[in-house]
Amino acid sequence: MSEALRRKLTNAGRVLAMQDQGDFVAGHVTVRLEDDKGRFLMKPATIGLEEMTPENIITVDLDGQRVGGSMPRHNEVYIHSEILRARPDLNAVIHTHAPHAVAFSSLGKELVPVNNEAGYFYKKLPVFSETTDLIVTAERGKAVAKCLADRNALLLRNHGIVAAGRTLEEAVWVALKLERACRVQLMAEWAGGPKHIAEGEDLEKKNSRGMRQDLFTNVFNYLVRSWCRVHGKHGDPCCAEHYETDLSGYKG
Ligand SMILES: [Zn+2]
């Protein structure tokens, strides 16, 4: 069971790096163990997101202590441990220094539905501004979890993003869509600021078409296949299992 999850976490790191969420060896992603809800798998410190392997991933408990693996643990582990403690409905957490989201967070502006993905976060994107420093204590981790409340993403002002999901596929989707929404609004801001945004029933309908587990899975699988093509790794066991398409939520 854990082996499949380790391969999926490895792939999450690869696609996050491929999508410009990497910051050299900073940024991390975690997923809760299916058979032990008080522990989670985590990217180790000292390596890049795309350098994770099923073997070098570490296991951590909800107090932030490493309980498995030998590589060092990120000092910002408390973002993950405290969110997973506070939110039993969530199973995956991502923290990166996504560049457009960081730039956008410095404007002190609300993220508005300039493009499709921004609608998912409209009026639902907390900004953590208690500090711009790294989150290296359990106390700060708890404060981030409190700021997140019942949402699935937040901006750490002048620092980065936190994205979470019921599945790893959803958390990756949220992280990538949030960064893209911030990037597109920045483009509109550079051109004088958005004059029109999506709102009301129009926006609600549009959002309902995008927030779907089958879509999260299909996007994740596509990104893994794309990574494998770029890196010539079609035979890699981490890539081979991403050729299925989930049609369960597709309505045409
Ligand atoms: Zn950070």
Side-chain angles (χ1 to χ4, degrees):
M1 186 74 85
S2 157
E3 279 309 303
L5 210 52
R6 284 170 183 270
R7 290 197 296 276
K8 195 179 282 184
L9 190 62
T10 297
N11 281 326
R14 290 168 167 178
V15 303
L16 287 166
M18 182 176 72
Q19 291 290 311
D20 200 27
Q21 296 255 335
D23 180 7
F24 308 107
V25 296
H28 16 96
V29 52
T30 54
V31 64
R32 197 194 298 268
L33 284 168
E34 288 158 344
D35 55 357
D36 186 352
K37 300 291 185 189
R39 293 182 172 188
F40 55 90
L41 302 175
M42 181 173 198
K43 170 199 170 288
T46 73
I47 60 171
L49 281 163
E50 78 282 16
E51 292 183 313
M52 251 191 303
T53 65
E55 294 74 32
N56 67 23
I57 284 168
I58 61 172
T59 308
V60 180
D61 67 19
L62 292 184
D63 291 325
Q65 300 300 311
R66 188 186 68 193
V67 294
S70 57
M71 286 195 70
R73 188 212 65 188
H74 278 282
N75 59 2
E76 289 195 297
V77 66
Y78 303 106
I79 295 172
H80 305 262
S81 56
E82 294 303 332
I83 287 174
L84 291 173
R85 189 201 302 277
R87 293 282 304 277
D89 59 314
L90 296 175
N91 293 305
V93 179
I94 293 167
H95 165 58
T96 69
H97 303 157
H100 296 90
V102 173
F104 180 77
S105 79
S106 76
L107 301 182
K109 291 198 169 186
E110 183 183 23
L111 188 69
V112 295
V114 173
N115 70 342
N116 291 343
E117 32 266 304
Y120 308 131
F121 306 102
Y122 188 38
K123 307 282 187 195
K124 291 182 285 194
L125 184 67
V127 180
F128 184 77
S129 50
E130 184 180 303
T131 181
T132 66
D133 193 5
L134 305 190
I135 310 300
V136 296
T137 65
E139 187 185 5
R140 278 268 157 77
K142 285 183 203 303
V144 171
K146 191 176 174 195
C147 181
L148 184 69
D150 62 348
R151 308 304 192 196
N152 62 356
L154 60 72
L155 296 177
L156 297 167
R157 183 167 63 74
N158 301 99
H159 175 179
I161 64 165
V162 174
R166 291 159 290 176
T167 61
L168 205 41
E169 289 92 332
E170 181 177 10
V172 166
W173 191 91
V174 170
L176 299 183
K177 291 292 187 179
L178 177 56
E179 166 69 352
R180 194 175 149 85
C182 291
R183 178 156 61 96
V184 172
Q185 185 163 337
L186 280 174
M187 292 162 71
E189 299 287 351
W190 294 330
K195 281 194 175 63
H196 305 290
I197 59 171
E199 284 189 290
E201 193 185 336
D202 186 51
L203 179 62
E204 276 174 38
K205 275 189 185 166
K206 184 155 69 166
N207 283 349
S208 72
R209 298 182 207 288
M211 290 295 278
R212 306 196 322 260
Q213 193 64 48
D214 66 306
L215 188 59
F216 308 149
T217 301
N218 290 342
V219 168
F220 186 81
N221 285 348
Y222 158 71
L223 289 167
V224 175
R225 295 195 302 269
S226 181
W227 187 93
C228 290
R229 276 194 290 274
V230 169
H231 294 85
K233 293 229 178 188
H234 301 74
D236 185 316
C238 278
C239 298
E241 53 203 54
H242 292 278
Y243 280 85
E244 284 182 20
T245 301
D246 180 0
L247 295 173
S248 62
Y250 194 74
K251 294 187 181 73

